[in-house]
Amino acid sequence: MAEKDTVMETEEKEVVSKNFIEQEIDKDLAEGVYDHVQTRFPPEPNGYLHIGHAKSILLNYGLAQKYGGKFNLRFDDTNPTKEKTEFVESIMADVKWLGADFDDRLFFASNYFEQMYQCAVFLIKKGKAFVCDLTAEEIREYRGDFTTPGKESPYRNRTPEENLKLFEDMKDGKYRDGEKVLRAKIDMASPNINMRDPVIYRVAHMAHHNTGDKWCIYPMYDFAHPIEDAIEKITHSICTLEFEDHRPLYDWVVRECEFENPPRQIEFAKLYLTNVVTGKRYIKKLVEDGIVDGWDDPRLVSIAALRRRGYTPEAIKMFVDLVGVSKANSSVDYAMLEYCIREDLKLKRPRMMAILDPVKLVIDNYPEGQTELLDVPNNLENPELGDRKVPFGRELYIEREDFMEEPPKKYFRMFPGNEVRLMGAYFVTCTGCEKDENGNVTVVHGTYDPETKSGSGFEGRKVKGTIHWVAVPTARQVECRLYENIVDEEKGKMNEDGSLNLNPNSLTVLKNCFVEPALAEGKAYDSYQFVRNGFFCVDCKDSTPEQPVFNRIVSLKSSFRLPK
Ligand code: ATP
Ligand code: MG
């Protein structure tokens, strides 16, 4: 009896933790609508992918995995105007990097142009599609609006024979762009405007990146997409909410084209983030206006930018899981993404010493010319990361903010007369400082106690402050880049004229930083915790062995708390 209860309990829990898409899939499988699960991610190669796409990729890939099904990467490249091979390559790299394995399941919608054409011919023969000579402007007028029903096109009742001939002529290049279109024959009085005889094929004398000049007619998205899904035997075609009103047309296309086991569209809410720009259109504008350094500028949330900044696929996955899948649009706090990368890196990465705003500390009683190599643990919370050797000597760099001549209350770092621990080294007592003619501190002085070496078991007394340092002779000078939100959310992302409300301080470049020598050996994308200063990553574009460049991924502290 007890055993049975436990089983029921876990079963119940499982049901509760499933998102609404999984519940729909369970139902379809239980009712025999489908006997397998097949999903896809269908990007249009007209830009780089961003964090919102990552959500869609991981959702679709995750479902395929959970149900033992398949996942396709399919380029939705049916519009020849905006698409570029550069984007095809970046998208493939990003999807792979996220860990969504598509193996040999890589498809291009443009390879289905012939089948799409045959579907159109099939509809014409059934009397479900017609060639229309109205101009784009007239079609819009005839369409009506939410309150007015549409008016039928005078060409609506052409015979299938006539339509077949005209459609073939369209294909054979006998008409100019816009001169004729093929329309589905559905219902001009439908309350859903998408169903008012939508255009399904247009003439466009344009070369396509994959098919070249083979076609001068191209299918419209609402016609092409369901056919692509059906050809690939997709079961659950997951898309974002703006397509909800298009679902009746999606269903009409797969039904009237008489596909067996047609796919089913399910919509979820897009992911939006505060303080950043998602949306290809806006990212593209920042890139084109030269406000950012390309699609992978670390201030952006394109996947390439997140990778360059130092984000890991694991952190992005954690973020997407935390956000969940929903039917209601909302914005997620950017701080949640930062929380995820901190959580992911905190035990995995060594904690190294780097000084971002240096001032010299001279330990006057440390023998001149002497150096030693100290064993410093890489991560106190994760002993598996081991120790490293850090050079120590008489002259060190410390952070300027770690010394104050006249400290406020509760300041436990260096001030005259105070003793602190130098991380992984000795106790030092501050004895004073030197200043330049403007009163700026140029050198801090102190004396050390040789008995207090870290790891020696010294227990004579305690100090309240520990500061980090880098030995001067072996220090490497590096550049560090600190980032802030690219748009100012508090004042609203947009200005009244529709331009983005940019934060002028989104990038700070520090050129006079000093790091322990081991850090200069980092390769592109290697990341570390810099004690007290945050997590940093070697920049993949600008860092060289001679002049290392680090991007701050995220600072260490945040007031962000996970929502319960
Ligand atoms: P954008 O609005 O940024 O231009 P898009 O929707 O035009 O993006 P596509 O390449 O057409 O980009 O989209 C590929 C897939 O990614 C689609 O299934 C789309 O619904 C999904 N997607 C796009 N943006 C988001 C987002 N913010 N959150 C979740 N999924 C998204
Ligand atoms: Mg799009």
Side-chain angles (χ1 to χ4, degrees):
M1 186 64 201
E3 199 183 316
K4 202 173 160 208
D5 279 353
T6 328
V7 171
M8 276 181 55
E9 211 180 295
T10 40
E11 269 174 9
E12 257 168 34
K13 268 196 192 131
E14 249 174 46
V15 173
V16 171
S17 70
K18 283 195 172 178
N19 67 44
F20 76 94
I21 297 179
E22 291 165 340
Q23 291 174 25
E24 289 297 313
I25 294 178
D26 284 346
K27 206 166 113 223
D28 286 344
L29 293 174
E31 289 170 2
V33 180
Y34 302 109
D35 60 4
H36 68 291
V37 170
Q38 165 96 44
T39 59
R40 87 288 174 263
F41 174 65
E44 201 186 339
N46 62 356
Y48 280 63
L49 299 181
H50 54 64
I51 184 81
H53 296 116
K55 173 167 183 174
S56 176
I57 293 164
L58 294 170
L59 171 63
N60 279 292
Y61 179 70
L63 288 171
Q65 287 229 303
K66 211 170 268 178
Y67 289 92
K70 288 180 187 147
F71 167 78
N72 291 359
L73 172 60
R74 180 210 311 145
F75 284 98
D76 209 332
D77 58 349
T78 54
N79 179 355
T81 39
K82 295 179 286 184
E83 296 159 3
K84 280 210 234 152
T85 317
E86 174 199 351
F87 297 136
V88 170
E89 277 155 19
S90 76
I91 290 172
M92 279 168 58
D94 288 347
V95 174
K96 272 201 191 124
W97 179 75
L98 279 174
D101 242 322
F102 50 90
D103 301 316
D104 53 351
R105 308 200 60 77
L106 169 65
F107 302 93
F108 290 85
S110 55
N111 287 338
Y112 309 143
F113 280 157
E114 181 60 36
Q115 281 141 293
M116 291 174 192
Y117 178 77
Q118 291 308 334
C119 284
V121 167
F122 185 71
L123 291 182
I124 293 173
K125 287 184 180 159
K126 279 175 79 172
K128 296 282 183 180
F130 66 98
V131 173
C132 183
D133 301 3
L134 294 180
T135 63
E137 181 60 28
E138 286 165 334
I139 290 180
R140 211 170 305 126
E141 273 167 29
Y142 274 64
R143 190 179 294 137
D145 53 32
F146 286 116
T147 48
T148 340
K151 219 165 60 181
E152 291 188 353
S153 159
Y155 306 97
R156 197 174 200 263
N157 294 318
R158 280 173 164 159
T159 62
E161 292 68 31
E162 192 185 355
N163 283 318
L164 278 178
K165 172 80 180 80
L166 290 170
F167 188 51
E168 201 173 332
D169 288 347
M170 279 169 66
K171 182 184 77 139
D172 292 341
K174 297 194 180 155
Y175 300 107
R176 286 173 317 222
D177 292 8
E179 205 178 333
K180 283 188 167 43
V181 292
L182 184 71
R183 297 176 67 177
K185 194 170 179 177
I186 310 180
D187 178 8
M188 286 309 286
S190 171
N192 184 337
I193 295 176
N194 294 306
M195 299 298 272
R196 295 185 187 170
D197 294 3
V199 173
I200 58 176
Y201 255 97
R202 65 190 169 121
V203 177
H205 291 272
M206 241 180 263
H208 184 278
H209 78 105
N210 178 25
T211 55
D213 290 324
K214 179 155 187 247
W215 297 90
C216 64
I217 54 171
Y218 291 97
M220 303 302 286
Y221 179 86
D222 279 341
F223 179 66
H225 201 84
I227 296 177
E228 294 158 26
D229 285 342
I231 289 173
E232 291 176 13
K233 303 209 177 325
I234 300 301
T235 55
H236 298 85
S237 174
I238 294 158
C239 66
T240 41
L241 282 183
E242 71 273 22
F243 291 102
E244 198 164 15
D245 290 345
H246 298 239
R247 193 188 333 132
L249 180 52
Y250 184 102
D251 291 340
W252 184 92
V253 171
V254 291
R255 187 174 67 244
E256 293 299 341
C257 292
E258 298 179 23
F259 282 103
E260 269 173 44
N261 270 321
R264 141 165 205 221
Q265 174 177 308
I266 301 178
E267 309 86 15
F268 71 100
K270 271 196 173 177
L271 169 65
Y272 295 101
L273 278 182
T274 60
N275 289 313
V276 290
V277 266
T278 41
K280 242 182 272 177
R281 206 153 50 92
Y282 296 114
I283 297 181
K284 200 173 192 153
K285 179 130 179 48
L286 291 173
V287 174
E288 283 168 0
D289 292 352
I291 289 163
V292 294
D293 164 33
W295 284 93
D296 60 355
D297 184 292
R299 289 167 291 177
L300 298 174
V301 283
S302 62
I303 296 177
L306 289 167
R307 177 168 61 229
R308 182 170 170 199
R309 175 97 172 239
Y311 272 81
T312 57
E314 291 79 10
I316 295 176
K317 181 156 193 319
M318 187 195 303
F319 174 69
V320 164
D321 287 345
L322 277 175
V323 171
V325 186
S326 132
K327 265 271 183 203
N329 278 320
S330 66
S331 263
V332 176
D333 193 343
Y334 182 74
M336 187 147 135
L337 186 59
E338 297 189 318
Y339 165 86
C340 293
I341 188 66
R342 265 189 220 105
E343 283 299 303
D344 186 43
L345 297 183
K346 75 179 183 200
L347 298 182
K348 285 189 197 163
R349 297 294 186 265
R351 298 177 180 178
M352 316 279 279
M353 293 193 278
I355 305 295
L356 301 192
D357 182 16
V359 66
K360 238 182 225 178
L361 166 66
V362 178
I363 304 172
D364 292 301
N365 64 338
Y366 193 89
E368 233 162 301
Q370 181 174 312
T371 57
E372 59 188 305
L373 280 178
L374 302 176
D375 285 311
V376 178
N378 281 325
N379 188 326
L380 282 175
E381 287 174 55
N382 180 8
E384 276 178 30
L385 293 187
D387 291 354
R388 70 184 183 286
K389 302 269 184 211
V390 183
F392 181 81
R394 179 181 155 92
E395 295 201 354
L396 311 172
Y397 290 116
I398 61 170
E399 297 286 356
R400 189 164 281 281
E401 64 169 26
D402 284 352
F403 169 78
M404 283 185 114
E405 214 175 359
E406 289 168 31
K409 266 193 191 146
K410 298 209 173 152
Y411 184 85
F412 301 120
R413 302 180 209 165
M414 295 207 98
F415 56 88
N418 190 42
E419 187 173 50
V420 300
R421 173 189 291 286
L422 291 175
M423 186 172 282
Y426 301 93
F427 286 10
V428 283
T429 302
C430 180
T431 53
C433 69
E434 293 171 41
K435 286 192 246 179
D436 65 14
E437 61 272 23
N438 300 319
N440 298 316
V441 175
T442 50
V443 181
V444 178
H445 286 275
T447 53
Y448 86 121
D449 176 353
E451 303 294 304
T452 58
K453 187 168 176 171
S454 248
S456 68
F458 173 78
E459 283 184 24
R461 58 189 182 274
K462 292 224 173 329
V463 288
K464 279 199 171 145
T466 298
I467 67 174
H468 60 287
W469 50 272
V470 171
V472 171
T474 47
R476 287 291 308 267
Q477 189 169 3
V478 304
E479 176 177 323
C480 289
R481 298 174 180 172
L482 311 185
Y483 303 102
E484 282 181 22
N485 306 330
I486 191 152
V487 285
D488 200 331
E489 185 83 26
E490 302 224 316
K491 294 198 207 125
K493 267 186 195 176
M494 299 288 182
N495 295 315
E496 269 172 20
D497 64 358
S499 61
L500 286 167
N501 191 4
L502 297 167
N503 170 6
N505 304 317
S506 58
L507 170 65
T508 305
V509 179
L510 303 175
K511 291 192 180 275
N512 193 37
C513 306
F514 291 96
V515 300
E516 50 176 291
L519 276 170
E521 282 155 32
K523 298 179 305 299
Y525 303 110
D526 283 354
S527 60
Y528 311 87
Q529 183 177 142
F530 286 3
V531 170
R532 257 201 15 238
N533 286 316
F535 289 97
F536 285 75
C537 163
V538 178
D539 188 72
C540 61
K541 260 190 173 168
D542 300 333
S543 192
T544 62
E546 297 72 42
Q547 183 51 73
V549 176
F550 290 91
N551 299 320
R552 176 146 76 182
I553 310 169
V554 67
S555 59
L556 295 180
K557 289 216 180 80
S558 160
S559 52
F560 175 78
R561 293 284 166 272
L562 264 192
K564 288 251 162 67

